[in-house]
Amino acid sequence: MKSGEKVEVEERARAFVETVREEKDFIKDYGADFLSAKGGAAYVPKQYSANTYAFSLVGLSKSFKYIGVTYIHTILVSSLGWGMISSSGSTILWLITAHDEFCFDQGFSQDQPGPNAIYIQDLSDKFRILYGQYIFLPIFLLSSYIGYVAWRWREFQINCNIIEGAAKDIAMLCGAAVTTPATLDERKALFRIYRYLNCAHAMTYKTVSPTIGPLSYDGDFIRMGLLTGDEVKRLLPTEERHGVFGLLADEIYTLMKDKNGGVLGTTLAALRVCLDKMDGHMDRLSRDQPNTFLDLMVVMSTLWIILIVVGEAFTLFMYAGGDLLMSTQPCFQPLVIFGVFTLTGVVRVAFVLIYILRNPFGSKKVDAIKVDNYLAGVERSTFVLFRTSFAPEAEHEVESAIDEAGT
């Protein structure tokens, strides 16, 4: 990413927290815009082409770059290390087999192949049987958990989209419910609804947002104009987000109680959807497979790696035979390194995939859902939707009221 693009991305991520919301700015001019930079896309699916990626080194390098240097480095180093350890075991087997053959060539033994070579071959056959019988359980545990965390990742994204849609519905219905042009009191009421709605949205993602997370309710939320000092004192003894929804429901009811009853019911229904999905976000954060399942998966996968490292030293062991003194065959076992590297690498990739998908909002930037962009995008949309009735012909009345209040 170029330096200019990186700066723009960082500005987009901080757009929500750098905005200061004041009533006088919200109600004054229907064309005014006090929001910071626009929010970007919360998630952009990677585009694949069969011709470009499936059989291309360029596509492979792009995939490696996307996953991340840290992850790839860890997988390569650990898998290569296991391959070298297993290869050293195969080298010992080569020396034992060569010793048996040397003893036969020199007349020290009458057995060909020697007893050690027969024993090594027998162990190789047994390891193949053991590997085939054992492999089902760790593969089942890993594949089922990968499927679960991938489903959970999608559920988080869908839930974020539903929250976004419900918030926009509330803003659209509230903006359309007031008279045109909106009176000063209606504009102030819409500003309070606007504050509460975006405040509840920010509270929902506080535990997963890198920008909202460090902020305090009694300091930063007041500075940003999402809450007042009095509101913070009233909300802190309760579960804050539900308290904000109580204020939000009260403001919506007060605004619409004399309007069309159907609009009020529809708006409150959208509000219930929004609250339900925000609660669902918190529920999903604590939802996972049982700890016993995870512990069993780790133990079985570790034993699988041990079986690969020990077993492949026998099953992939190569010895050509011939005159040992004249042979140029090396004792080095490259096939063992490659085989163990590949098989343990698959297990390591599975765990990296699990690590990435378990936290859809991770800070490693790999498949992370950017909630800060959701916050900025929803605020910009609701800002426009709440103010659809702020017609210019009413500006002189509003400005006069503001001037009188200032004096």
Short mmCIF file of all heavy atoms in Angstrom, two decimals, residues 139 199 323:
data_model
loop_
_atom_site.label_atom_id
_atom_site.label_comp_id
_atom_site.label_asym_id
_atom_site.label_seq_id
_atom_site.Cartn_x
_atom_site.Cartn_y
_atom_site.Cartn_z
N ILE A 139 -8.48 -34.83 11.65
CA ILE A 139 -9.02 -34.15 10.46
C ILE A 139 -10.48 -33.77 10.70
O ILE A 139 -10.91 -32.66 10.34
CB ILE A 139 -8.89 -35.06 9.23
CG1 ILE A 139 -7.44 -35.13 8.78
CG2 ILE A 139 -9.77 -34.55 8.09
CD1 ILE A 139 -7.21 -35.98 7.55
N CYS A 199 -24.44 6.69 19.27
CA CYS A 199 -23.78 6.34 20.52
C CYS A 199 -23.97 4.85 20.82
O CYS A 199 -23.02 4.15 21.20
CB CYS A 199 -24.34 7.19 21.66
SG CYS A 199 -23.61 6.81 23.27
N ASP A 323 27.12 -51.49 -3.61
CA ASP A 323 28.42 -51.52 -2.93
C ASP A 323 28.58 -50.25 -2.10
O ASP A 323 28.68 -49.14 -2.63
CB ASP A 323 29.54 -51.62 -3.98
CG ASP A 323 30.91 -51.84 -3.32
OD1 ASP A 323 31.00 -51.67 -2.08
OD2 ASP A 323 31.84 -52.15 -4.05
#
